[in-house]
Amino acid sequence: MSTSSSSSSTQGGDSGGGGAELEAGPSSSRSRMRSSNGVWPEPFLEALAVHVAVDASRTIGRLAAAQALFNIFQVCSTWRAISRSDLLWQNLARSIWNVGDLVLRESWREEYVYRHRTAAAFRSRRYEHATLQFVPTDNNDDGLSCRRLALSDHHLAAGFSDGAVRLFHIPTRLHLSTFYPQHRDRLGPFSSAVSGIILFHARLVFATLDGDIHMAAFNGFSPLRRAHLGDVVNDGVLVDFGGCHRWWVGLYAGVPGRAFRIWNGETEELVSVGGRLTDPEAVMGWHMLTELTGIIGRIRVVSGDMAVACTEDRVVVLHLLSLGALEEREEEFQEGIVVGAFDAYNDFAMVPDAQGAAIVRRVGGMEEVCRFTMREGVSFGCMNGGYGVTWGGGVIRVWDIERGQYLYRFRERIGECNALIADERFVAACCDDATIHLWDFGAQ
């Protein structure tokens, strides 16, 4: 890479501390430039590079950060030398791609480049499609309905109406194991249906409509155990469940004033109960135990120790650090919300309404980031850090949620969809014949 040809720039690689010498301008003498500017240390240049790249990602889009970095590295050889700093790429990966751990590549620079290429593939529809197969365990599998999907870097988990959670290894596309909730007396035929899955590292946590929460480490050393015994009579029906390694959050319907239950995900301790979000849906909640009704509500845990939940007419933001006192921020949507197409990722939420519009909002203050108009008939949706994915009429479509633009549709038609999920690399969907489809944008 060549250095800048401007007469106001010089290479400062021999200046002390590995910094760069900043010059005043073409009309100044060389001695004046040295005396007035001195050396810019590497930590300063790294901080500048992070600031410029993050600013570009927030104002233009995450893919724009690469061009901003390229411009910085072209200033001179010393500025280009900071590109070899692993700390720089770690900060960039965390700030732009929200990557907390180095798991996919051997260095932070490789991790950043990989994430950028994957996002670029997402934008240009470069993917590999596969279906995941599993062997039925009994004669009732023909009538199974997939209720939830969860993704991690190397695994996919699918939760079904009979309470089973099937775990797949994504690199090999193999079905690894099936987890069944512990048997106990049920209040209805679907009380053991899976209502939410948390999947991270080698840990699986899932909940069922009756309020039971089970967990297992799928490295072969920890059997499935019940971490929480649900009390559906006093708490209501656990209609959705989500979280991360730090928090578990359950959304309930059926008992007034008990819409949310929050656990510490590390200690499994219950830390908060309350909320009235689902009070109008109490009767619908009880019906879920006996019939597979529509989706009552959604709950998502996002960055900043917050959770965001919705029903068909309201969105509530929870601040999870307020232990013992549930803090809520509520907003009503007169147009109605398509609950199955609602999703949140990092610190953004996609709120599709019944009129065919979808608004992307920043969760903290619910301010609008962008909006786009969907095709009619959208009933499921999900999102990652840069793209929204919707299903309607047998077609999966992708939207740029940084600019509010429609991009393309998937080549494959999958029939009736009953679960849809996306992360930064994959999109997964399950249709009514229990076939699991997987689209991989990171097969590079």
Side-chain angles (χ1 to χ4, degrees):
M1 185 181 299
S2 61
T3 60
S4 172
S5 60
S6 171
S7 60
S8 63
S9 299
T10 64
Q11 295 185 8
D14 295 332
S15 300
E21 184 176 299
L22 182 66
E23 302 196 352
S27 62
S28 301
S29 69
R30 186 173 183 84
S31 60
R32 181 181 175 184
M33 285 187 283
R34 286 181 175 175
S35 63
S36 62
N37 293 289
V39 171
W40 283 18
E42 286 183 359
F44 179 86
L45 294 179
E46 291 180 14
L48 175 64
V50 171
H51 174 79
V52 171
V54 171
D55 183 67
S57 71
R58 291 177 177 175
T59 56
I60 305 175
R62 296 180 303 171
L63 294 177
Q67 182 62 50
L69 290 169
F70 178 78
N71 294 339
I72 286 178
F73 297 156
Q74 284 214 109
V75 171
C76 66
S77 62
T78 304
W79 285 47
R80 186 161 62 250
I82 65 171
S83 66
R84 295 191 291 269
S85 168
D86 205 47
L87 180 60
L88 169 70
W89 294 106
Q90 181 180 9
N91 291 331
L92 289 168
R94 289 177 172 176
S95 300
I96 296 173
W97 304 110
N98 200 41
V99 179
D101 298 309
L102 185 62
V103 293
L104 297 180
R105 292 295 182 266
E106 294 182 354
S107 72
W108 282 105
R109 182 185 181 280
E110 291 176 349
E111 186 84 24
Y112 183 94
V113 171
Y114 172 79
R115 300 281 177 169
H116 175 90
R117 289 176 176 172
T118 302
F122 226 114
R123 182 171 181 82
S124 58
R125 201 175 68 167
R126 298 195 307 271
Y127 62 75
E128 292 183 357
H129 171 259
T131 57
L132 306 183
Q133 308 292 332
F134 59 90
V135 178
T137 55
D138 53 51
N139 294 329
N140 296 324
D141 280 353
D142 291 339
L144 283 181
S145 172
C146 181
R147 310 300 293 171
R148 296 293 186 272
L149 292 169
L151 283 165
S152 67
D153 293 325
H154 302 292
H155 296 88
L156 180 144
F160 291 85
S161 55
D162 65 346
V165 174
R166 290 177 170 85
L167 183 69
F168 298 86
H169 184 238
I170 293 177
T172 61
R173 310 290 196 258
L174 295 178
H175 173 216
L176 296 181
S177 55
T178 300
F179 301 89
Y180 284 98
Q182 297 180 25
H183 176 76
R184 66 188 183 102
D185 293 336
R186 306 292 181 182
L187 294 180
F190 297 110
S191 59
S192 61
V194 175
S195 57
I197 305 172
I198 304 170
L199 186 63
F200 58 95
H201 301 313
R203 192 180 186 193
L204 169 71
V205 183
F206 69 94
T208 49
L209 289 176
D210 57 12
D212 283 1
I213 299 175
H214 288 81
M215 64 178 302
F218 48 83
N219 55 13
F221 301 104
S222 175
L224 183 70
R225 65 179 177 87
R226 184 157 50 204
H228 173 73
L229 180 64
D231 186 353
V232 66
V233 174
N234 294 313
D235 295 331
V237 179
L238 179 49
V239 298
D240 201 28
F241 176 77
C244 58
H245 72 283
R246 187 171 184 180
W247 304 104
W248 304 345
V249 184
L251 177 64
Y252 292 75
V255 178
R258 301 178 71 86
F260 301 104
R261 294 174 73 86
I262 301 171
W263 290 266
N264 182 315
E266 297 174 345
T267 66
E268 303 174 23
E269 175 188 7
L270 180 66
V271 296
S272 187
V273 179
R276 298 187 174 277
L277 175 64
T278 56
D279 284 5
E281 286 78 25
V283 175
M284 292 178 59
W286 292 118
H287 284 172
M288 292 188 72
L289 298 174
T290 57
E291 56 185 288
L292 294 177
T293 62
I295 301 172
I296 292 176
R298 281 282 191 250
I299 183 77
R300 297 289 186 266
V301 173
V302 295
S303 301
D305 292 299
M306 292 185 293
V308 56
C310 83
T311 59
E312 64 179 6
D313 59 0
R314 287 183 294 167
V315 172
V316 166
V317 178
L318 307 176
H319 294 274
L320 303 177
L321 286 177
S322 57
L323 303 181
L326 192 64
E327 293 186 5
E328 302 181 38
R329 184 184 185 279
E330 181 178 308
E331 185 167 340
E332 293 189 6
F333 289 78
Q334 299 297 329
E335 299 84 0
I337 299 171
V338 182
V339 179
F342 169 89
D343 198 14
Y345 195 92
N346 292 342
D347 58 347
F348 295 99
M350 183 174 68
V351 187
D353 65 36
Q355 307 304 314
I359 303 176
V360 178
R361 296 176 178 267
R362 194 178 297 275
V363 172
M366 292 304 290
E367 63 267 26
E368 181 177 325
V369 176
C370 73
R371 64 173 60 205
F372 53 88
T373 301
M374 304 180 298
R375 304 289 180 90
E376 295 181 1
V378 169
S379 55
F380 283 93
C382 57
M383 64 184 295
N384 60 22
Y387 305 97
V389 182
T390 62
W391 176 90
V395 177
I396 293 179
R397 296 180 173 88
V398 177
W399 311 80
D400 182 338
I401 60 173
E402 294 177 316
R403 299 178 177 88
Q405 298 175 342
Y406 169 71
L407 295 179
Y408 57 84
R409 56 189 288 178
F410 282 5
R411 292 181 287 268
E412 299 79 15
R413 298 181 66 93
I414 66 170
E416 194 71 22
C417 177
N418 47 40
L420 180 69
I421 194 171
D423 65 9
E424 299 288 16
R425 174 173 176 173
F426 301 102
V427 174
C430 191
C431 49
D432 54 2
D433 63 357
T435 299
I436 299 173
H437 296 262
L438 182 71
W439 294 268
D440 183 357
F441 291 84
Q444 304 169 17

